[in-house]
Amino acid sequence: MIALTLAEITSAVGGGLRLDGTQATPDTIVDGSVTTDSREVGAGGIFVAKRGEFDDGHRFAPAAAAQGAALLIVEHPLDLPVPQIVVADSVDALGAFATEVVRRVRALGRLRIVGVTGSNGKTTTKNLLRTVLERVGPTVAARASFNNEVGAPITMLELTNETEFLVAEMGASGIGEIARLVRMARPDVGIVLKVGLAHAGEFGGIEQTVRAKSEMVTELLETDVAVLNADDPRVVPMAGLTAARVVWFGFGESADVRATDIQAHARGTEFTVAVRGGESAQVRFSVLGEHHVMNALAAIAASLELGVPLPAVVDALEQVTLAERWRMQVMGGRDGVTIINDAYNASPDSMSAALKTLAQVKNPGSRTIAVLGEMSELGEFSGEEHDRIGLLAVRLGISQLVIVGQGARRLHITAINEGSWDGESAFVESSDEAFDLVTSSVRPGDTVLVKSSNSAGLRHLGDRLGEWFS
């Protein structure tokens, strides 16, 4: 974080400074990292005590103080010998703090900001952009999926006076949340990847999801750039909602940054990227899955707008072997068995893409096994979307389904009721049962996909299978 005095931080967050029992003064400088997790606090750090749904961060303030916190941001005074800023709402204070830090670093004239949103692919695209941009200059990007009202500002607070690029992942579960994050960071380039049914239950329907994702572009200025998915009919109308210049990415001829000659295999995906104006390049992309080509195109388009030459962008992308842990992560290898662990999260779109990839990359003459759990947060769409995935698995010719947990049982029922399929589907209640079933039935050369929403916990099953077949 940039160095600020306690007085400056107090002003930024709109709180009251308390220095009782400390040797600090309003002019004391703090420049440590900011966190809401007391376990991450280091000497000189700032701990924000946030009230959660199930716990209260104020309970962990003593631990943060013991680990060397230089400042606590709290909602009520605590009897601790550490400087404290008392605020009405710690999450609002965190956002205000991030806004001020971004403003100060922006004023130095070198910082460029990219905002990334969409129902799927945010973290992958953010990671790809980080890989490209950090070769050009000091870059800050979110850890894991730090994309909400807490994670996004914590990422912004990692800025220093030397930072040249900030890649801010912006997620939401309701109207107004992306707009709030955009106002904190004020992106020069705003990316909208795809609008699907992920979290549609939380948003209250697909129309509300579209409205929420549109907030990325409605907040952009005429001098900014909106990077939009030309192949998504829900994203295309967003061009009419923004004052920014629009750059399109996709597979179709209308895209400014386009992929052609796509070839997916077990080692990744190869494609040609063509840029409007005539420039093109061959890309050997090691990240598994044709659907990740769209994320790569978005990263390419944004990087070009930030002045990175196409050869440098392609060279950086070709060095990426894993988008993120638990996202199309290739494991295993013993007896030719491949485990694809893609169970960090799941929506109808990402589940469909993963199954299609499984069908594409299997070894000739071998079997495909899909171990699937629930797609959560779909609300009223849950039943029909699990039905659709069951039918898709059958029609793709997946050799074996292993369905885990009651939340995904409807997928299993739909699959076994599909008369055109002569394969099998097994239902089990737990990850342990799934592990036993898969390890006892896998044959040499099989390819196994593990896919579910985070809440189903199958990412750990994927890890176990990967280790077992390593």
Side-chain angles (χ1 to χ4, degrees), residues 82-202:
V82 181
Q84 299 171 40
I85 300 175
V86 182
V87 297
D89 186 295
S90 59
V91 174
D92 288 345
L94 184 63
F97 193 3
T99 302
E100 176 63 10
V101 167
V102 172
R103 185 193 69 78
R104 287 175 178 251
V105 178
R106 265 227 190 259
L108 299 175
R110 66 168 65 93
L111 179 64
R112 305 291 299 282
I113 299 175
V114 184
V116 184
T117 197
S119 298
N120 306 106
K122 294 185 294 296
T123 300
T124 297
T125 304
K126 173 259 299 180
N127 287 342
L128 297 178
L129 278 166
R130 172 171 51 200
T131 300
V132 173
L133 297 176
E134 65 187 5
R135 292 183 169 203
V136 179
T139 300
V140 170
R143 290 176 286 143
S145 294
F146 274 34
N147 61 27
N148 63 8
E149 61 182 358
V150 174
I154 284 178
T155 298
M156 297 172 200
L157 287 165
E158 293 180 10
L159 293 175
T160 69
N161 290 332
E162 289 70 43
T163 304
E164 295 184 22
F165 300 103
L166 167 65
V167 185
E169 185 179 338
M170 298 181 178
S173 57
I175 300 298
E177 293 179 14
I178 292 175
R180 181 171 185 257
L181 299 178
V182 167
R183 291 177 193 131
M184 288 181 200
R186 292 295 179 189
D188 301 284
V189 179
I191 300 173
V192 183
L193 297 166
K194 185 177 183 62
V195 178
L197 289 174
H199 313 298
E202 289 186 329

Side-chain angles (χ1 to χ4, degrees), residues 151-398:
I154 284 178
T155 298
M156 297 172 200
L157 287 165
E158 293 180 10
L159 293 175
T160 69
N161 290 332
E162 289 70 43
T163 304
E164 295 184 22
F165 300 103
L166 167 65
V167 185
E169 185 179 338
M170 298 181 178
S173 57
I175 300 298
E177 293 179 14
I178 292 175
R180 181 171 185 257
L181 299 178
V182 167
R183 291 177 193 131
M184 288 181 200
R186 292 295 179 189
D188 301 284
V189 179
I191 300 173
V192 183
L193 297 166
K194 185 177 183 62
V195 178
L197 289 174
H199 313 298
E202 289 186 329
F203 280 106
I206 191 63
E207 295 80 8
Q208 294 295 87
T209 306
V210 173
R211 181 182 166 193
K213 301 302 181 183
S214 298
E215 293 170 3
M216 172 62 78
V217 300
T218 57
E219 298 289 331
L220 297 180
L221 306 176
E222 290 182 3
T223 53
D224 300 329
V225 179
V227 175
L228 303 180
N229 185 342
D231 296 353
D232 189 332
R234 296 186 181 113
V235 173
V236 170
M238 294 182 190
L241 303 177
T242 184
R245 177 168 56 88
V246 175
V247 173
W248 300 101
F249 67 93
F251 295 156
E253 294 184 1
S254 64
D256 299 301
V257 178
R258 180 186 177 203
T260 62
D261 305 319
I262 302 169
Q263 298 180 12
H265 47 71
R267 300 178 305 281
T269 311
E270 297 179 9
F271 63 95
T272 298
V273 58
V275 180
R276 193 174 299 284
E279 194 173 13
S280 65
Q282 182 73 19
V283 184
R284 293 175 177 82
F285 193 44
S286 296
V287 178
L288 189 64
E290 185 176 311
H291 54 296
H292 282 310
V293 173
M294 289 296 280
N295 301 327
L297 291 176
I300 292 169
S303 298
L304 293 175
E305 291 301 319
L306 292 170
V308 186
L310 182 60
V313 177
V314 171
D315 182 65
L317 293 180
E318 290 188 334
Q319 305 308 310
V320 179
T321 58
L322 178 64
E324 181 84 3
R325 187 182 180 192
W326 300 316
R327 288 177 168 88
M328 298 305 286
Q329 183 176 3
V330 179
M331 309 170 75
R334 176 166 56 85
D335 298 328
V337 174
T338 300
I339 306 297
I340 303 171
N341 190 356
D342 193 35
Y344 183 83
N345 225 328
S347 68
D349 289 328
S350 68
M351 186 76 85
S352 297
L355 286 170
K356 290 174 183 176
T357 298
L358 175 64
Q360 287 176 325
V361 306
K362 73 169 186 174
N363 297 314
S366 64
R367 301 185 311 156
T368 51
I369 300 173
V371 184
L372 308 179
E374 180 182 13
M375 300 179 291
S376 62
E377 300 176 357
L378 294 179
E380 63 181 298
F381 303 101
S382 181
E384 63 188 79
E385 290 301 323
H386 282 87
D387 287 345
R388 188 171 69 84
I389 294 301
L391 292 173
L392 177 64
V394 171
R395 292 166 185 173
L396 287 172
I398 304 302

Side-chain angles (χ1 to χ4, degrees), residues 403-422:
I403 309 304
V404 187
Q406 287 294 332
R409 187 178 178 87
R410 184 160 168 174
L411 193 161
H412 165 67
I413 298 300
T414 301
I416 61 176
N417 286 339
E418 175 61 20
S420 63
W421 190 37
D422 60 0

